[in-house]
Each structure stands twice: as structure tokens, then as C-alpha cells.
Amino acid sequence: MSVVLITGCSSGIGRATALRLVRGGHTVYATARRLDAIADLAAAGCHTLALDVTDERSMTEAVTLVEDRHGAIDVLVNNAGYGEYGAIEEADLDRVRRQFETNVFGLARLTQLVLPRMRAGGSGRIINVGSMGGRLVFPGGGYYHASKYAVEAISDALRFEAAPFGVQVSVIEPGLIRTGFGDTAAGTLAGSAVHAGPYAALNRAVDESMARGYANRTMSATADAVAKVIEHAAVSRRPRPRYVVTPAAKLLVHARRLLGTRVWDLVLRTQFRVA
């Protein structure tokens, strides 16, 4: 069984992954910024740690504690992340920077911290939770998508760099998952929008489209569906470099690749009802 460190366990995919892996017999360190948000995971058998992926001291102390107890972290699941939505022109760049600190730089720094012991031991797994939004872009989410494209690039480079040391890297690409993500994204969209501004109609269309998508049980899936895939990536002898989660996400990723830019833009204009 493996020693697993998971970020962003207060809700959604992180919480479901912690529960699934601890029930599978793994030693799971579930983390969140506030310990009270993950108290139930401790009751379920997880070790819980306060970990803020935007704070260097917090990250260093968490990794050091786990390594001091176990020698090394076998599996790092970089799950912490959220969506900062809004038109490119209107979005508050300070909020965008905070999103990148969580979605990209926190992921990168934790990876740097765990790799030395993994390399020394000749094994390890790093599982980065990206998004289908790292393979295609919807309007109103440009900065969020940019952060997930960054996760794709980091994962591709790291997979090659770490392979000679026995460290395997996978990126998970969920589609619409029924967690609090959609509500958070809609909240950031509302906060960034100028309600009578030039993008008002687009913002409404994006908001309505997200609401429809997350409510559609055919288009979306539960957090445990992603947790099941993360478990496979953690325990499989030969984990895949990429896992696209949900049939709808697979369809959209392939459609974007096959249709080309002009046709894809036409699809988006139809969906979001813009000229």
C-alpha cells in the first residue's frame, strides 16, 4: 500500500479521492487550508494536515512531516484548484494571479518538494488534476483554461524528465463534475462582470450554459467517478499519461481536435448565441 498526499480535500474530487484511497488500505494524508473542513476525513481513517498551496512554509512543513514519518511520499495528487471566470478584458488580474498561485504554482512547488525523495527511492507517482479545459477553451473562462493548459505542459515535461528516476506522471482531465466548482465559477463570473458592459450578454450566456451543463446528469458526473480514475492512476503498473473523465468530455476533446478552429468557433457562437 502507498503513502498518498492529496491537496484540496475540503470538498469535491479531493474529498472523494481521499475516501476511496483510504478505504483501499492506503495511508492517506488529506489536506486543506482549514482542518475543520476535513474533520470527517480524519474520522474515516485519513491523516489530516493543514496545507495552503499558496504558502511556501505550509507546503514545506506538510511534505517534511510526511517524509519524516514514512521516508517518502509514494503518490502526490495535486488536486487543489478553482475557476476564475470572466471576460479577458474585464477580469481582475489580481484574482487571476491568485488562481494561478493555486492551480499552477502550488502544484509546481509541491512537485519540486516531493521529487528528491521519490528520485532517491527510484519510484513515485505524481497525479495532476487538470481538466478537459486544458484541451479546449470556452469563452468567459480564458484565464481558468490558461491555468489548466499550464498543468498540461508541466505534466508533459515532467513525465519525460522524471521517467529515468522511476517516477510516473499522469494528468486527469475531468469534464463537468457535480461538485461546488460550478457555483464557485459562476460566483467569480458575477464578481468580474460589468453588468451593463459590452460583455453582459456573453456573461449571461456563459452563466446559463454552466448551469445547464452541471444540472445535466448525462453531461456531468460525480466526484467519485474522478476519484475512481485517480485510484487507477495511483495503483496501475503502467498508468496512462492522460485520463479524460466522462463520455461528454471525451466527445468534446475529440471534437475540438477534429473540427479545427473555424468550425469550433462556429459551434461556440451557436451555443453562446453571440454574433
Side-chain angles (χ1 to χ4, degrees):
M1 293 293 106
S2 300
V3 176
V4 186
L5 177 65
I6 310 171
T7 65
C9 294
S10 61
S11 64
I13 293 169
R15 176 181 293 274
T17 301
L19 289 171
R20 176 172 280 274
L21 290 179
V22 78
R23 289 166 183 162
H26 301 281
T27 300
V28 174
Y29 283 81
T31 73
R33 285 179 297 176
R34 298 186 347 267
L35 279 175
D36 63 318
I38 51 175
D40 61 316
L41 295 180
C46 296
H47 302 275
T48 57
L49 293 176
L51 173 57
D52 181 348
V53 300
T54 68
D55 181 88
E56 172 68 19
R57 180 176 177 179
S58 178
M59 289 186 284
T60 301
E61 288 181 348
V63 170
T64 299
L65 184 150
V66 180
E67 290 182 340
D68 284 349
R69 288 180 181 176
H70 302 280
I73 293 166
D74 299 310
V75 181
L76 170 65
V77 181
N78 281 312
N79 167 71
Y82 68 97
E84 186 68 48
Y85 273 66
I88 297 299
E89 181 181 348
E90 292 181 335
D92 183 329
L93 289 181
D94 285 335
R95 292 169 61 162
V96 171
R97 290 184 183 97
R98 286 194 293 272
Q99 176 189 237
F100 269 77
E101 285 292 340
T102 299
N103 293 11
V104 181
F105 299 118
L107 173 152
R109 183 57 180 145
L110 274 172
T111 298
Q112 290 179 332
L113 289 170
V114 304
L115 270 172
R117 290 285 184 95
M118 287 184 174
R119 285 192 295 100
S123 66
R125 302 282 173 96
I126 296 174
I127 301 171
N128 294 329
V129 179
S131 169
M132 72 171 180
R135 305 280 293 277
L136 52 86
V137 177
F138 292 122
Y143 290 116
Y144 168 71
H145 287 278
S147 74
K148 292 305 184 180
Y149 268 71
V151 170
E152 294 282 330
I154 289 169
S155 300
D156 280 346
L158 180 63
R159 187 175 62 253
F160 185 89
E161 295 165 0
F165 305 103
V167 179
Q168 297 172 296
V169 179
S170 297
V171 59
I172 312 298
E173 301 169 338
L176 299 179
I177 306 301
R178 295 190 294 275
T179 66
F181 178 91
D183 292 337
T184 300
T188 63
L189 177 63
S192 71
V194 178
H195 297 290
Y199 304 101
L202 174 61
N203 290 332
R204 286 193 297 273
V206 170
D207 194 16
E208 292 167 3
S209 177
M210 283 196 293
R212 287 195 305 272
Y214 283 102
N216 187 322
R217 295 303 175 104
T218 302
M219 291 290 292
S220 61
T222 65
D224 192 60
V226 186
K228 184 176 181 180
V229 173
I230 293 173
E231 181 182 40
H232 182 272
V235 303
S236 174
R237 188 174 64 86
R238 295 186 64 188
R240 289 171 13 207
R242 281 179 169 79
Y243 295 84
V244 183
V245 186
T246 79
K250 292 175 183 177
L251 177 63
L252 286 168
V253 168
H254 286 303
R256 176 64 187 93
R257 179 174 58 86
L258 294 172
L259 292 178
T261 300
R262 291 185 183 277
V263 177
W264 180 254
D265 284 355
L266 178 61
V267 171
L268 294 180
R269 284 198 296 273
T270 302
Q271 178 177 349
F272 294 99
R273 303 184 187 93
V274 293

